[in-house]
Amino acid sequence: MPDYSGVNVLQGSPYPQLVDKLGNFNLVTIETPQIHSLNANLPTPPGERLWTAALEQTRSRSPASFEQWFSSVQYDGFESGVLSLTARDEFVRDWVKAHFLPDLLSHLARLAGEANPASLRVKWNISNGLDRPVCQPRRRNSEPPASIPPSSSLTSGRSRSERPSRYSRAQLTAALNPKHTFPNFVVGPSNELAHAAAFASAGGGGPRYNPLFIAGGTGLGKTHLMHAIAHKVLDERPDSRIVYVSAEHFTNEFIEALQHHKMDEFRARYRTDCDLLLVDDIQFLAGREQTQEEFFHTFNALHDADRPIIVTSDKYPQQLQRMPERLVSRFTSGLVADIQTPQLETRVAIVRKKAELEGIELSDEVAVMLAQSVQSNVRELEGALIRLAAKSSLTGRLIDEEFTRGELAMVSPRRPELMSVEDIQRAVCGHFRLSNSDLLSKDRHKSVAFARQVAMYLCRQRLKCSFPELGRAFGNRDHTTVMSAVRRVEALRQRDPQVNAHLEAIEQRLASSEG
Ligand code: ADP
Ligand code: MG
């Protein structure tokens, strides 16, 4: 009998906001693998499409560590709400369960149109020999992935056989999404500077800035551009030694090198044996002083040798917190190119491009409809398209306007004008696990007061209610109380990431109408 023991997969999860939803996943181990080939030239089964889309979203959070762990995991199928996976050993299974599954399953549930990710099951199989690992392994299979060297670099000027065995072109290409190329990147006013600068860095012509700092919100194409640069350089100058890492990976590798007295090797990899350095999500270095110091010297060594450095970040350099001034000034010494949320026309073009790449037939009307309804970021837009396509192939329905409208209505965020003070209060209570009467009471206990202030802030921000109006809606409080609550939360949100995380989690609740 399979063991259906509930496992709290959220310990140590970087997504505290998923606790409510994901606390009760049932993770089971069953020793019967099912095989579906990810690479077969057959039409992709719908479950596999969903899996691939969910996987991409999870991968983009931390590509380097994703690569490490998913080289020891195999996808066996996703059918009737059951995801079948094989892990190389229990250690890998447990790590992936704890660190990747919450995120992965929530994407998968959303893409599959499941309101509740807890309704998905994971069937684990353990096997030492994986035929088709999700990512290509980087080292001998018997070693735990934590010690696998991170994504790769190339060694030029020597023949393949003379190269140190640690690195190979195959390792780098395994870390790159083959679809994230320049031809697949849609250029519009929101990203044209970043695109042109990235293209120039890859030797595509135009002025080359060093460093190039690409700043932009999540899901707007920063990683796509990094991969595109690497692909282009690899295609045109296969001997180039390219190092592509996330800042998180750089940090981990640095710590490991320190621990194992391998700093010479580390420095060779990043300074002397590197013709092009791509570091994704540099904001991760915030507050990590020793790594910042090391990165600073790496940066200088490459910069002095006129080797291109490209860095991405979710903030402008000046907004990076707990980052030393000298590093910020290095970041701004070349070109800072930002990516903004794309306008409607660009979003329509992106939908068309993605549909073309995935072989999904889409009318112009449907492309526009999708682009109109998903505005926040491209990753979401892509998710909506994949979900539509999967649903259409599952149900055999054509992706026409009516079908699309129905599907979008189910997943679209609720329009703020249709939301009420009660909806927000309910969402806040749900998030903080309070009753509505607690929220409206005179209770001054810290946690209740904070929840109340958050609710007031959200009402003010989203519904534009007047302060006196809000005072009445919150147990007849004075308008000055509301005013100071709103200001307090506004200020806290700016400087306290935890407060921001709470707000984002509640906003997510509101968006999915679960409040
Ligand atoms: P970021 O690194 O900024 O969070 P990604 O580069 O991972 O975002 O992009 C998220 C998804 O959106 C990827 O699948 C990427 O291909 C797609 N995407 C973003 N911008 C564009 C664009 N301009 N054209 C085509 N696809 C895009
Ligand atoms: Mg990214």
Side-chain angles (χ1 to χ4, degrees), residues 180 184-186 191 219-224 354 378-379 382:
H180 289 172
N184 290 347
F185 190 82
V186 175
N191 59 29
L220 294 182
K222 300 182 297 296
T223 297
H224 186 137
K354 297 286 173 193
V378 181
R379 191 174 294 132
E382 214 176 327

Side-chain angles (χ1 to χ4, degrees), residues 29 60 83 121 225 235 237 247 315 342 370 372 466 480:
T29 303
S60 59
L83 174 65
R121 288 254 168 77
L225 283 178
D235 283 350
R237 282 163 282 149
K315 298 185 186 62
L370 267 171
Q372 271 171 337
S466 72
T480 53

Side-chain angles (χ1 to χ4, degrees), residues 287-337:
R288 296 168 204 270
E289 289 171 19
Q290 221 182 330
T291 316
Q292 288 169 349
E293 169 90 15
E294 182 61 29
F295 185 74
F296 178 73
H297 294 297
T298 304
F299 184 103
N300 289 344
L302 291 175
H303 196 260
D304 290 348
D306 198 26
R307 306 217 175 127
I309 303 157
I310 297 118
V311 166
T312 70
S313 162
D314 66 354
K315 298 185 186 62
Y316 290 105
Q318 298 85 349
Q319 294 170 342
L320 286 168
Q321 287 165 357
R322 295 181 294 146
M323 194 69 84
E325 187 45 44
R326 59 182 186 161
L327 210 42
V328 171
S329 87
R330 290 295 186 287
F331 291 152
T332 50
S333 64
L335 177 72
V336 177

Side-chain angles (χ1 to χ4, degrees), residues 493-504:
R493 180 170 211 174
Q494 296 297 321
R495 62 166 197 267
D496 186 340
Q498 234 175 330
V499 171
N500 193 39
H502 278 300
L503 285 162
E504 279 180 6

Side-chain angles (χ1 to χ4, degrees), residues 61-83:
R61 240 185 63 213
S62 175
S65 94
F66 177 93
E67 299 291 332
Q68 283 188 350
W69 293 98
F70 279 84
S71 60
S72 300
V73 174
Q74 176 170 296
Y75 164 81
D76 298 324
F78 176 49
E79 254 175 83
S80 318
V82 179
L83 174 65

Side-chain angles (χ1 to χ4, degrees), residues 469-481:
E469 213 179 326
L470 281 179
R472 283 193 293 279
F474 280 82
N476 274 329
R477 287 182 154 76
D478 191 71
H479 74 278
T480 53
T481 312

